[in-house]
Amino acid sequence: MPSPYRAIFAAPGTKRFSAAGFLGRMPLSMMGIGVVTMVSQLTGRYGLAGALSATLAMSAAVIGPQISRLVDRHGQRRVLRPATLVALAAVAGLLVCAQQRLPDWTLFVFAAGAGCVPSVGSMIRARWAEIYRGSPQRLHTAYSWESIVDEVCFIFGPIISIGLSTSWFPEAGPLLAAVFLLVGVVWLTAQRATEPVPHPREQHTGGSAMRSRGLRVLVVTFMATGAIFGAIDVVTVAFAEEQGHKAAASLVLAVYALGSCVAGAVFGLLRPGGKPSTRWLLGVCAMAVSMIPLQLAGSLPFLAVALFVAGLAIAPTMVTTMALVEQHVPRTALTEGMTWTSTGLAVGVALGSSAAGWVVDASGAEAGYAVPAVAGALAAAVAFLGYRRLSGPAATGGRGADDRNRRTDDGERVA
């Protein structure tokens, strides 16, 4: 492991909570695509599959920030365990209803309940921020590392989920995702030494993190970005089926994540200059442009290459986003702020997967790739319009006003 990555793991407990976070985040890449594969296997209806995936994502978008706000106030252990139990019960109900061919409305009810899945990635990043607050370069490397972990999840998660659901039984992918969530959350919440100190209600004088104008720009932009991801998942599964190799969709999606993983690994070794807001804008625009070659996809190998190139813009943009969240959101609401960006992605995934499902049903898989192209153009437009809010001073006071006790690289507190 290159020395910048070795350095961040010198702090006690970092390896354990990062490993727990890896397991806890596997459902992020497995559950939605697992539901799409399960329902398409059982019913052959991509419209229903996309709508259920959208319902799950939309529910997570609504419930996730509320869970994270409770975490900021009461701590990770007290909130994550009961929330996870509710999510697991809902996933179990969804699988039973699907297997028993119960009415469609029952599937939507349990898919909505499964939205109680906590944003484990935000919990892990909040721990890194607590440890390396005041050490921007190490925090940049830590955020890059977590982006690598995210992409590793997206490399292996779809392969496992789609592979199990197509070769074993349709419900196998979502079922294993639920097991990963249980193990990851229990292991993470057992690690109390690195858990960020909760901030009681009386310390939250600024209200919701969404009062930050900069955060609102990030969230709205990520809604369009999430639509890219949701649409690509659904359309790629359908495209692979049209090509006669449905199981190969997991490999193609893994290549997409691999591109992001490679870019994230390199980005973590760099000391990026310039303003984070400018890097973020360039990243969003690069993601939008990378959707254009997908319109020419005529075979799975070509699609895999195009998605690998498209993936190169993802991780650096996500890393820079976390840095911007830390700048524009008070420390007492940091977990909530990070979760709101995930919420924007989740809403976008819901819209993108639903829209893509209907387009595929109506016009075929190749036409479905127009959905991520439109979403990319919207993301770039919103990023341009909101750039000034991110490049200016943080209205909330962000890191500078709220963080009175910072740490140097050596761990010493400074005023």
Short mmCIF file of all heavy atoms in Angstrom, two decimals, residues 270-323:
data_model
loop_
_atom_site.label_atom_id
_atom_site.label_comp_id
_atom_site.label_asym_id
_atom_site.label_seq_id
_atom_site.Cartn_x
_atom_site.Cartn_y
_atom_site.Cartn_z
N LEU A 270 -2.44 12.10 -4.72
CA LEU A 270 -2.10 13.44 -5.20
C LEU A 270 -2.36 14.49 -4.12
O LEU A 270 -3.09 14.26 -3.16
CB LEU A 270 -2.92 13.77 -6.45
CG LEU A 270 -2.81 12.80 -7.63
CD1 LEU A 270 -3.74 13.23 -8.75
CD2 LEU A 270 -1.36 12.72 -8.12
N ARG A 271 -1.75 15.64 -4.33
CA ARG A 271 -2.07 16.82 -3.53
C ARG A 271 -2.74 17.83 -4.46
O ARG A 271 -2.08 18.71 -5.02
CB ARG A 271 -0.80 17.43 -2.91
CG ARG A 271 -0.17 16.56 -1.83
CD ARG A 271 1.08 17.23 -1.26
NE ARG A 271 1.62 16.48 -0.15
CZ ARG A 271 1.31 16.68 1.12
NH1 ARG A 271 0.44 17.63 1.42
NH2 ARG A 271 1.85 15.97 2.08
N PRO A 272 -4.03 17.69 -4.65
CA PRO A 272 -4.70 18.53 -5.65
C PRO A 272 -4.65 20.00 -5.28
O PRO A 272 -4.84 20.39 -4.13
CB PRO A 272 -6.15 18.02 -5.64
CG PRO A 272 -6.31 17.37 -4.30
CD PRO A 272 -4.97 16.81 -3.95
N GLY A 273 -4.35 20.83 -6.26
CA GLY A 273 -4.31 22.26 -6.05
C GLY A 273 -5.59 22.92 -6.52
O GLY A 273 -6.49 22.27 -7.06
N GLY A 274 -5.67 24.22 -6.33
CA GLY A 274 -6.85 24.96 -6.76
C GLY A 274 -8.01 24.81 -5.81
O GLY A 274 -7.91 24.15 -4.77
N LYS A 275 -9.13 25.39 -6.18
CA LYS A 275 -10.30 25.37 -5.32
C LYS A 275 -11.07 24.06 -5.49
O LYS A 275 -11.27 23.59 -6.61
CB LYS A 275 -11.20 26.56 -5.69
CG LYS A 275 -10.55 27.91 -5.44
CD LYS A 275 -11.29 29.03 -6.15
CE LYS A 275 -12.71 29.15 -5.66
NZ LYS A 275 -13.39 30.34 -6.25
N PRO A 276 -11.52 23.46 -4.37
CA PRO A 276 -12.30 22.24 -4.48
C PRO A 276 -13.55 22.40 -5.33
O PRO A 276 -13.95 21.49 -6.04
CB PRO A 276 -12.66 21.92 -3.02
CG PRO A 276 -11.60 22.58 -2.21
CD PRO A 276 -11.23 23.82 -2.97
N SER A 277 -14.16 23.59 -5.27
CA SER A 277 -15.38 23.82 -6.05
C SER A 277 -15.10 23.73 -7.54
O SER A 277 -15.94 23.22 -8.31
CB SER A 277 -15.98 25.18 -5.70
OG SER A 277 -15.02 26.21 -5.88
N THR A 278 -13.94 24.20 -7.97
CA THR A 278 -13.59 24.12 -9.40
C THR A 278 -13.35 22.68 -9.81
O THR A 278 -13.80 22.23 -10.88
CB THR A 278 -12.35 24.97 -9.69
OG1 THR A 278 -12.60 26.33 -9.30
CG2 THR A 278 -12.00 24.92 -11.17
N ARG A 279 -12.62 21.92 -8.98
CA ARG A 279 -12.40 20.50 -9.28
C ARG A 279 -13.73 19.75 -9.34
O ARG A 279 -13.92 18.86 -10.19
CB ARG A 279 -11.49 19.87 -8.22
CG ARG A 279 -10.09 20.45 -8.17
CD ARG A 279 -9.14 19.51 -7.44
NE ARG A 279 -9.59 19.18 -6.09
CZ ARG A 279 -9.29 19.90 -5.01
NH1 ARG A 279 -8.54 21.00 -5.13
NH2 ARG A 279 -9.70 19.53 -3.82
N TRP A 280 -14.63 20.11 -8.45
CA TRP A 280 -15.94 19.44 -8.42
C TRP A 280 -16.72 19.72 -9.71
O TRP A 280 -17.31 18.81 -10.30
CB TRP A 280 -16.71 19.91 -7.20
CG TRP A 280 -18.10 19.37 -7.09
CD1 TRP A 280 -18.47 18.15 -6.63
CD2 TRP A 280 -19.31 20.04 -7.46
NE1 TRP A 280 -19.83 18.01 -6.69
CE2 TRP A 280 -20.37 19.15 -7.19
CE3 TRP A 280 -19.59 21.30 -7.99
CZ2 TRP A 280 -21.70 19.50 -7.44
CZ3 TRP A 280 -20.91 21.64 -8.23
CH2 TRP A 280 -21.95 20.74 -7.95
N LEU A 281 -16.72 20.96 -10.15
CA LEU A 281 -17.44 21.33 -11.37
C LEU A 281 -16.87 20.58 -12.57
O LEU A 281 -17.62 20.05 -13.41
CB LEU A 281 -17.35 22.83 -11.59
CG LEU A 281 -17.99 23.38 -12.87
CD1 LEU A 281 -19.49 23.08 -12.90
CD2 LEU A 281 -17.74 24.88 -13.00
N LEU A 282 -15.56 20.51 -12.67
CA LEU A 282 -14.94 19.79 -13.78
C LEU A 282 -15.30 18.31 -13.73
O LEU A 282 -15.53 17.68 -14.77
CB LEU A 282 -13.42 19.97 -13.73
CG LEU A 282 -12.89 21.39 -14.02
CD1 LEU A 282 -11.39 21.45 -13.80
CD2 LEU A 282 -13.25 21.82 -15.44
N GLY A 283 -15.34 17.75 -12.53
CA GLY A 283 -15.70 16.34 -12.40
C GLY A 283 -17.11 16.05 -12.84
O GLY A 283 -17.37 15.06 -13.54
N VAL A 284 -18.06 16.91 -12.45
CA VAL A 284 -19.45 16.71 -12.86
C VAL A 284 -19.58 16.81 -14.38
O VAL A 284 -20.28 16.01 -15.01
CB VAL A 284 -20.36 17.74 -12.17
CG1 VAL A 284 -21.78 17.66 -12.72
CG2 VAL A 284 -20.37 17.52 -10.66
N CYS A 285 -18.89 17.78 -14.97
CA CYS A 285 -18.94 17.92 -16.44
C CYS A 285 -18.33 16.71 -17.14
O CYS A 285 -18.84 16.26 -18.18
CB CYS A 285 -18.22 19.20 -16.86
SG CYS A 285 -19.07 20.72 -16.36
N ALA A 286 -17.25 16.18 -16.58
CA ALA A 286 -16.63 15.00 -17.17
C ALA A 286 -17.58 13.80 -17.11
O ALA A 286 -17.67 13.01 -18.07
CB ALA A 286 -15.32 14.67 -16.45
N MET A 287 -18.32 13.67 -16.02
CA MET A 287 -19.29 12.59 -15.91
C MET A 287 -20.38 12.74 -16.98
O MET A 287 -20.84 11.75 -17.56
CB MET A 287 -19.92 12.58 -14.52
CG MET A 287 -18.95 12.18 -13.42
SD MET A 287 -19.65 12.30 -11.76
CE MET A 287 -20.89 11.02 -11.83
N ALA A 288 -20.81 13.97 -17.22
CA ALA A 288 -21.84 14.20 -18.23
C ALA A 288 -21.35 13.84 -19.63
O ALA A 288 -22.04 13.15 -20.40
CB ALA A 288 -22.29 15.66 -18.18
N VAL A 289 -20.15 14.28 -19.97
CA VAL A 289 -19.60 14.02 -21.31
C VAL A 289 -19.39 12.52 -21.53
O VAL A 289 -19.59 12.00 -22.64
CB VAL A 289 -18.28 14.78 -21.49
CG1 VAL A 289 -17.58 14.36 -22.78
CG2 VAL A 289 -18.53 16.28 -21.49
N SER A 290 -19.04 11.80 -20.46
CA SER A 290 -18.75 10.37 -20.60
C SER A 290 -19.98 9.54 -20.94
O SER A 290 -19.85 8.36 -21.29
CB SER A 290 -18.11 9.85 -19.32
OG SER A 290 -19.05 9.84 -18.25
N MET A 291 -21.17 10.13 -20.84
CA MET A 291 -22.39 9.40 -21.19
C MET A 291 -22.63 9.35 -22.69
O MET A 291 -23.42 8.54 -23.17
CB MET A 291 -23.60 10.04 -20.51
CG MET A 291 -23.62 9.94 -18.99
SD MET A 291 -23.68 8.23 -18.40
CE MET A 291 -21.95 7.98 -17.90
N ILE A 292 -21.95 10.20 -23.45
CA ILE A 292 -22.20 10.27 -24.89
C ILE A 292 -21.83 8.98 -25.61
O ILE A 292 -22.61 8.47 -26.44
CB ILE A 292 -21.45 11.47 -25.49
CG1 ILE A 292 -22.00 12.79 -24.89
CG2 ILE A 292 -21.57 11.48 -27.01
CD1 ILE A 292 -21.26 14.03 -25.34
N PRO A 293 -20.65 8.37 -25.36
CA PRO A 293 -20.31 7.13 -26.08
C PRO A 293 -21.28 5.98 -25.84
O PRO A 293 -21.36 5.07 -26.68
CB PRO A 293 -18.91 6.79 -25.54
CG PRO A 293 -18.35 8.10 -25.08
CD PRO A 293 -19.52 8.85 -24.54
N LEU A 294 -22.01 6.00 -24.73
CA LEU A 294 -22.95 4.90 -24.46
C LEU A 294 -24.05 4.83 -25.51
O LEU A 294 -24.65 3.76 -25.71
CB LEU A 294 -23.58 5.07 -23.08
CG LEU A 294 -22.63 5.12 -21.88
CD1 LEU A 294 -23.41 5.18 -20.58
CD2 LEU A 294 -21.69 3.91 -21.87
N GLN A 295 -24.32 5.95 -26.18
CA GLN A 295 -25.37 5.95 -27.20
C GLN A 295 -24.97 5.10 -28.42
O GLN A 295 -25.83 4.76 -29.23
CB GLN A 295 -25.67 7.39 -27.65
CG GLN A 295 -25.83 8.40 -26.52
CD GLN A 295 -26.77 7.94 -25.43
OE1 GLN A 295 -27.90 7.56 -25.72
NE2 GLN A 295 -26.32 7.97 -24.18
N LEU A 296 -23.68 4.78 -28.52
CA LEU A 296 -23.19 4.00 -29.66
C LEU A 296 -23.01 2.53 -29.32
O LEU A 296 -22.53 1.76 -30.15
CB LEU A 296 -21.85 4.58 -30.13
CG LEU A 296 -21.84 6.08 -30.48
CD1 LEU A 296 -20.44 6.52 -30.82
CD2 LEU A 296 -22.81 6.38 -31.61
N ALA A 297 -23.39 2.14 -28.11
CA ALA A 297 -23.16 0.77 -27.66
C ALA A 297 -23.92 -0.21 -28.54
O ALA A 297 -25.14 -0.14 -28.68
CB ALA A 297 -23.60 0.61 -26.21
N GLY A 298 -23.17 -1.13 -29.14
CA GLY A 298 -23.80 -2.17 -29.96
C GLY A 298 -23.43 -3.56 -29.51
O GLY A 298 -23.96 -4.55 -30.01
N SER A 299 -22.48 -3.63 -28.56
CA SER A 299 -22.03 -4.93 -28.05
C SER A 299 -21.58 -4.76 -26.62
O SER A 299 -21.27 -3.65 -26.16
CB SER A 299 -20.88 -5.48 -28.90
OG SER A 299 -19.73 -4.64 -28.77
N LEU A 300 -21.51 -5.86 -25.90
CA LEU A 300 -21.08 -5.81 -24.51
C LEU A 300 -19.62 -5.39 -24.35
O LEU A 300 -19.30 -4.62 -23.44
CB LEU A 300 -21.33 -7.16 -23.83
CG LEU A 300 -22.80 -7.49 -23.55
CD1 LEU A 300 -22.93 -8.92 -23.02
CD2 LEU A 300 -23.39 -6.50 -22.55
N PRO A 301 -18.69 -5.85 -25.19
CA PRO A 301 -17.30 -5.38 -25.04
C PRO A 301 -17.17 -3.87 -25.22
O PRO A 301 -16.46 -3.21 -24.45
CB PRO A 301 -16.55 -6.14 -26.13
CG PRO A 301 -17.34 -7.39 -26.33
CD PRO A 301 -18.77 -6.96 -26.16
N PHE A 302 -17.83 -3.31 -26.24
CA PHE A 302 -17.78 -1.86 -26.43
C PHE A 302 -18.37 -1.14 -25.24
O PHE A 302 -17.83 -0.13 -24.76
CB PHE A 302 -18.54 -1.47 -27.71
CG PHE A 302 -18.56 0.02 -27.97
CD1 PHE A 302 -17.57 0.62 -28.73
CD2 PHE A 302 -19.56 0.83 -27.43
CE1 PHE A 302 -17.57 1.99 -28.95
CE2 PHE A 302 -19.57 2.21 -27.65
CZ PHE A 302 -18.58 2.79 -28.41
N LEU A 303 -19.50 -1.65 -24.73
CA LEU A 303 -20.14 -1.03 -23.58
C LEU A 303 -19.23 -1.06 -22.36
O LEU A 303 -19.14 -0.08 -21.61
CB LEU A 303 -21.45 -1.77 -23.27
CG LEU A 303 -22.23 -1.27 -22.06
CD1 LEU A 303 -22.67 0.17 -22.26
CD2 LEU A 303 -23.44 -2.18 -21.81
N ALA A 304 -18.51 -2.16 -22.15
CA ALA A 304 -17.62 -2.28 -21.00
C ALA A 304 -16.50 -1.24 -21.07
O ALA A 304 -16.17 -0.60 -20.06
CB ALA A 304 -17.03 -3.68 -20.93
N VAL A 305 -15.93 -1.05 -22.25
CA VAL A 305 -14.86 -0.06 -22.41
C VAL A 305 -15.40 1.35 -22.15
O VAL A 305 -14.78 2.16 -21.45
CB VAL A 305 -14.24 -0.16 -23.82
CG1 VAL A 305 -13.26 1.00 -24.05
CG2 VAL A 305 -13.53 -1.49 -23.99
N ALA A 306 -16.57 1.65 -22.71
CA ALA A 306 -17.16 2.98 -22.53
C ALA A 306 -17.48 3.25 -21.07
O ALA A 306 -17.26 4.36 -20.56
CB ALA A 306 -18.43 3.10 -23.38
N LEU A 307 -17.95 2.24 -20.37
CA LEU A 307 -18.27 2.43 -18.95
C LEU A 307 -17.02 2.56 -18.10
O LEU A 307 -17.01 3.29 -17.10
CB LEU A 307 -19.14 1.27 -18.44
CG LEU A 307 -20.60 1.29 -18.90
CD1 LEU A 307 -21.34 0.06 -18.42
CD2 LEU A 307 -21.31 2.56 -18.41
N PHE A 308 -15.94 1.85 -18.46
CA PHE A 308 -14.69 2.00 -17.72
C PHE A 308 -14.20 3.45 -17.81
O PHE A 308 -13.82 4.05 -16.80
CB PHE A 308 -13.62 1.06 -18.27
CG PHE A 308 -12.28 1.22 -17.60
CD1 PHE A 308 -12.01 0.57 -16.40
CD2 PHE A 308 -11.29 2.02 -18.16
CE1 PHE A 308 -10.78 0.72 -15.78
CE2 PHE A 308 -10.06 2.17 -17.55
CZ PHE A 308 -9.81 1.53 -16.35
N VAL A 309 -14.22 4.01 -19.01
CA VAL A 309 -13.80 5.40 -19.19
C VAL A 309 -14.73 6.33 -18.42
O VAL A 309 -14.28 7.29 -17.76
CB VAL A 309 -13.77 5.76 -20.68
CG1 VAL A 309 -13.47 7.24 -20.87
CG2 VAL A 309 -12.74 4.91 -21.41
N ALA A 310 -16.02 6.07 -18.46
CA ALA A 310 -16.97 6.91 -17.73
C ALA A 310 -16.72 6.85 -16.23
O ALA A 310 -16.87 7.84 -15.52
CB ALA A 310 -18.40 6.46 -18.04
N GLY A 311 -16.31 5.68 -15.74
CA GLY A 311 -16.08 5.53 -14.31
C GLY A 311 -14.91 6.34 -13.78
O GLY A 311 -14.84 6.63 -12.58
N LEU A 312 -13.98 6.74 -14.64
CA LEU A 312 -12.80 7.47 -14.19
C LEU A 312 -13.13 8.81 -13.56
O LEU A 312 -12.36 9.34 -12.77
CB LEU A 312 -11.85 7.69 -15.38
CG LEU A 312 -11.23 6.44 -16.01
CD1 LEU A 312 -10.41 6.81 -17.24
CD2 LEU A 312 -10.36 5.70 -14.99
N ALA A 313 -14.29 9.36 -13.88
CA ALA A 313 -14.66 10.67 -13.34
C ALA A 313 -15.39 10.58 -12.00
O ALA A 313 -15.57 11.60 -11.33
CB ALA A 313 -15.54 11.42 -14.34
N ILE A 314 -15.80 9.37 -11.60
CA ILE A 314 -16.71 9.27 -10.44
C ILE A 314 -16.00 9.53 -9.12
O ILE A 314 -16.36 10.44 -8.37
CB ILE A 314 -17.39 7.89 -10.43
CG1 ILE A 314 -18.26 7.72 -11.66
CG2 ILE A 314 -18.24 7.75 -9.16
CD1 ILE A 314 -18.90 6.35 -11.78
N ALA A 315 -15.00 8.71 -8.78
CA ALA A 315 -14.39 8.79 -7.45
C ALA A 315 -13.78 10.15 -7.15
O ALA A 315 -14.00 10.70 -6.06
CB ALA A 315 -13.36 7.68 -7.28
N PRO A 316 -12.99 10.76 -8.06
CA PRO A 316 -12.46 12.09 -7.74
C PRO A 316 -13.56 13.11 -7.44
O PRO A 316 -13.41 13.97 -6.56
CB PRO A 316 -11.67 12.46 -9.01
CG PRO A 316 -11.27 11.16 -9.60
CD PRO A 316 -12.44 10.26 -9.34
N THR A 317 -14.68 13.01 -8.16
CA THR A 317 -15.79 13.93 -7.90
C THR A 317 -16.40 13.68 -6.54
O THR A 317 -16.73 14.62 -5.80
CB THR A 317 -16.87 13.78 -9.00
OG1 THR A 317 -16.26 13.92 -10.28
CG2 THR A 317 -17.95 14.82 -8.84
N MET A 318 -16.54 12.42 -6.16
CA MET A 318 -17.12 12.08 -4.86
C MET A 318 -16.21 12.52 -3.72
O MET A 318 -16.68 13.02 -2.69
CB MET A 318 -17.37 10.58 -4.77
CG MET A 318 -18.37 10.05 -5.78
SD MET A 318 -19.98 10.84 -5.65
CE MET A 318 -20.87 10.02 -6.97
N VAL A 319 -14.91 12.32 -3.87
CA VAL A 319 -13.96 12.74 -2.84
C VAL A 319 -14.03 14.24 -2.63
O VAL A 319 -14.07 14.74 -1.49
CB VAL A 319 -12.52 12.31 -3.23
CG1 VAL A 319 -11.51 12.91 -2.25
CG2 VAL A 319 -12.41 10.79 -3.24
N THR A 320 -14.05 14.98 -3.72
CA THR A 320 -14.12 16.43 -3.63
C THR A 320 -15.44 16.87 -3.00
O THR A 320 -15.50 17.86 -2.26
CB THR A 320 -13.97 17.06 -5.02
OG1 THR A 320 -12.76 16.56 -5.63
CG2 THR A 320 -13.87 18.57 -4.94
N THR A 321 -16.50 16.13 -3.28
CA THR A 321 -17.80 16.45 -2.68
C THR A 321 -17.73 16.37 -1.16
O THR A 321 -18.26 17.23 -0.45
CB THR A 321 -18.87 15.49 -3.21
OG1 THR A 321 -18.99 15.65 -4.62
CG2 THR A 321 -20.22 15.76 -2.55
N MET A 322 -17.09 15.33 -0.63
CA MET A 322 -17.00 15.19 0.83
C MET A 322 -16.22 16.36 1.44
O MET A 322 -16.54 16.84 2.52
CB MET A 322 -16.32 13.86 1.19
CG MET A 322 -17.15 12.63 0.87
SD MET A 322 -18.76 12.60 1.68
CE MET A 322 -19.85 12.94 0.28
N ALA A 323 -15.18 16.81 0.74
CA ALA A 323 -14.42 17.97 1.22
C ALA A 323 -15.30 19.22 1.24
O ALA A 323 -15.23 20.04 2.18
CB ALA A 323 -13.19 18.19 0.35
#
